[in-house]
Amino acid sequence: MEIRIEHLNKEFPSRDKDGAPTKAVSDLDLVIKDGELMGLLGPSGCGKSTTLYMIAGLKDPTSGFIYFDEDDVTHLDPEKRGIGLVFQNYALYPHMTVYKNVEFPLTNLVIEEEQKAHDVAYEDTLQEVLLQQDALVACLEKRKGKRGNDTAIEELIRVFHITPSLAKEIATRIKKSEEGYAKSIEELLSLSKERKANSLKNWQDKGFVVDDHYVLLRDGKSTTVHRRLTKDERDTLVRETAKLVQIEDYLGRKPSELSGGQQQRVAIARALVKRPRVLLLDEPLSNLDARLRIQTREEIRRVQQATKITTVFVTHDQEEAMSICDRICVMENGEERQIGKPQDIYRNPNCIFVAKFLGTPPINVFRGIIKDGFLYLGEEPVLETPKALENQEVFVGIRPEGFLPLPKKKDLVFTLSVQEVVTQGRDTTLVFSSPLCEQEQGKAIIDSDIEIESGSHRFGIKPTKIYLFDKETGKRIPL
């Protein structure tokens, strides 16, 4: 499912009687590819959640269009869009089990499908199971203790991926005799074949032909029907989805008996169970601690790749977005600033806002000047610039990993006052100050094998880690 957003705008009326409306989203154009995980990234108030809610249909755009493939869904009701939505708070029903929470969206779900001969499909599935006698007997041998048949039914569902009613018939009808299970299996197989023949005759008498996919055809044409899911169908979807997000062992528990990460997976399962065309995630990890946040974002990525569902992920945490998203859209003041693969944007930010927003520790920003073919920081030339660049004042961004603590004689250097040295494993962070730095303190990251002490030091700069920005517009100046 491709999502296409064209000239999308959202304004909220001012609280003041004669005040100007607030622009939450301004002329947004965005294409989210089929099966892609797109991150909407930006600070609070940048319009990312508002954009998500317009995709979901929870907010109406002031103007613009939203398309799902070729369908215009701009003003379509949320329940007709085929979306799954996961909020920041899990919103689970505390009085329901995990099973019931996941099943809930299916209880009133009406599906549209070609009319099928489900009774014939049932018998064919039963016969396929009966012919796999070794695996079948292994399941039936689990029939021990007080729970007896219940244990065998659970095992049949797990091994053969069949419905509970089918598993129940097998467990109930097949009994072990002195000769084993062979006689009971043969009797049920014979009965199933007889029932299938009767079903086919009944459909034929009504003027239908059953094709290879169990679709009922009259004069070579199928009929579309609208219906609710059966209990067996709901059960199958719940168990398949629970297995996908790895909560199958918690289906009998209440939400209060689960950890935060497990509750979040239940919320994701509830969004996925109705097989939506689009999955929308609104800051789903913000209520988790650091360890669970990492674990759960990896789960989200695994599930998204397994289902190939088009997903929109809203977050203000750039580390989250960069770790799991195929592409990200960085937003500011309701406008898109840059779209691309996370690492591409990190390496090539197109403006100073994007450069500042991506990166941990953040980029160091200095006041510099281009003069006579060189970039100067204070009185020191630190980089040779293209001759075509006119003399001007600029903002200079240098990534923390861009400093060379042991410059060669031919290198242009920049003098910094190192105030603190913090070693963490393989890296050492140098905390420095400079009258040219926009931040109160800047940071440089170097290899921990290099010993350095506080004081004044001369650094070289990696050319690929330095960026120039227009002082007035903030736009990137290409080198």
Side-chain angles (χ1 to χ4, degrees), residues 343-359:
Q343 203 59 32
D344 290 346
I345 294 180
Y346 178 81
R347 292 193 186 107
N348 291 294
N350 64 6
C351 65
I352 196 167
F353 171 79
V354 173
K356 286 180 176 180
F357 201 80
L358 293 186

Side-chain angles (χ1 to χ4, degrees), residues 374-394:
F374 285 90
L375 170 67
Y376 285 84
L377 291 176
E379 298 299 321
E380 296 176 299
V382 297
L383 185 71
E384 189 172 358
T385 60
K387 299 295 183 183
L389 281 182
E390 62 184 42
N391 293 348
Q392 60 183 301
E393 292 183 357
V394 293

Side-chain angles (χ1 to χ4, degrees), residues 3-220:
I3 303 172
R4 194 168 75 256
I5 294 171
E6 296 180 356
H7 305 295
L8 196 66
N9 292 276
K10 180 62 180 177
E11 294 181 354
F12 292 100
S14 172
R15 293 183 178 180
D16 300 327
K17 186 176 180 181
D18 298 319
T22 301
K23 280 194 172 183
V25 177
S26 181
D27 199 32
L28 180 65
D29 285 318
L30 180 63
V31 175
I32 303 167
K33 301 172 186 176
D34 181 30
E36 179 177 52
L37 199 165
M38 169 66 81
L40 300 183
L41 176 65
S44 296
C46 73
K48 55 189 185 294
S49 288
T50 301
T51 300
L52 186 89
Y53 294 154
M54 287 190 284
I55 295 172
L58 299 179
K59 292 185 186 296
D60 279 329
T62 304
S63 62
F65 300 92
I66 301 170
Y67 296 92
F68 286 3
D69 284 338
E70 299 304 318
D71 299 330
D72 183 352
V73 300
T74 311
H75 301 291
L76 193 66
D77 292 338
E79 63 270 17
K80 296 179 181 177
R81 297 193 183 200
I83 61 162
L85 183 58
V86 179
F87 291 100
Q88 179 177 339
N89 57 339
Y90 317 130
L92 302 177
Y93 299 109
H95 63 289
M96 291 184 179
T97 62
V98 169
Y99 183 101
K100 289 294 183 183
N101 266 282
V102 177
E103 184 193 33
F104 186 78
L106 302 176
T107 52
N108 292 313
L109 181 66
V110 176
I111 62 170
E112 179 182 304
E113 68 170 9
E114 293 177 309
Q115 189 177 8
K116 292 184 177 181
H118 292 286
D119 50 352
V120 179
Y122 178 97
E123 301 303 339
D124 277 351
T125 304
L126 172 57
Q127 291 170 35
E128 287 176 11
V129 174
L130 295 176
L131 292 174
Q132 301 177 59
Q133 292 197 16
D134 291 342
L136 173 59
V137 169
C139 293
L140 296 173
E141 284 294 299
K142 301 284 185 179
R143 197 160 37 191
K144 296 176 182 178
K146 292 182 179 179
R147 297 183 67 232
N149 269 5
D150 290 343
T151 307
I153 290 169
E154 290 172 5
E155 193 68 7
L156 286 164
I157 292 171
R158 186 187 69 81
V159 172
F160 293 103
H161 306 291
I162 55 178
T163 62
S165 60
L166 181 51
K168 185 176 181 180
E169 179 176 10
I170 293 171
T172 303
R173 287 183 178 273
I174 298 180
K175 305 295 183 183
K176 188 176 183 179
S177 64
E178 293 181 1
E179 294 80 20
Y181 292 95
K183 184 177 180 181
S184 285
I185 292 173
E186 189 58 39
E187 288 175 351
L188 183 53
L189 186 60
S190 177
L191 175 63
S192 177
K193 289 178 179 179
E194 183 181 340
R195 291 191 311 211
K196 177 183 175 180
N198 289 336
S199 293
L200 288 171
K201 186 176 185 305
N202 287 337
W203 288 119
Q204 187 177 3
D205 291 344
K206 294 176 182 178
F208 289 104
V209 173
V210 181
D211 75 3
D212 292 340
H213 301 287
Y214 306 107
V215 175
L216 291 169
L217 304 176
R218 190 194 296 271
D219 299 326

Side-chain angles (χ1 to χ4, degrees), residues 363-469:
I363 196 169
N364 304 288
V365 179
F366 301 89
R367 294 179 297 278
I369 186 169
I370 297 173
K371 186 172 63 176
D372 302 330
F374 285 90
L375 170 67
Y376 285 84
L377 291 176
E379 298 299 321
E380 296 176 299
V382 297
L383 185 71
E384 189 172 358
T385 60
K387 299 295 183 183
L389 281 182
E390 62 184 42
N391 293 348
Q392 60 183 301
E393 292 183 357
V394 293
F395 283 123
V396 181
I398 305 176
R399 292 288 184 196
E401 66 272 23
F403 294 91
L404 298 169
L406 301 173
K408 299 175 183 177
K409 286 185 179 181
K410 63 178 182 178
D411 288 341
L412 299 174
V413 296
F414 179 38
T415 304
L416 292 171
S417 175
V418 177
Q419 298 177 323
E420 189 179 354
V421 180
V422 181
T423 300
Q424 296 176 313
R426 66 180 183 180
D427 294 327
T428 293
T429 301
L430 308 179
V431 181
F432 63 80
S433 64
S434 168
L436 301 171
C437 191
E438 288 288 288
Q439 301 104 309
E440 186 175 335
Q441 289 183 320
K443 291 183 178 180
I445 297 175
I446 64 172
D447 195 299
S448 61
D449 291 339
I450 301 173
E451 294 186 6
I452 198 166
E453 296 180 352
S454 300
S456 181
H457 293 274
R458 289 154 60 86
F459 293 88
I461 301 172
K462 299 176 184 177
T464 58
K465 297 297 180 180
I466 187 169
Y467 309 94
L468 304 187
F469 303 98

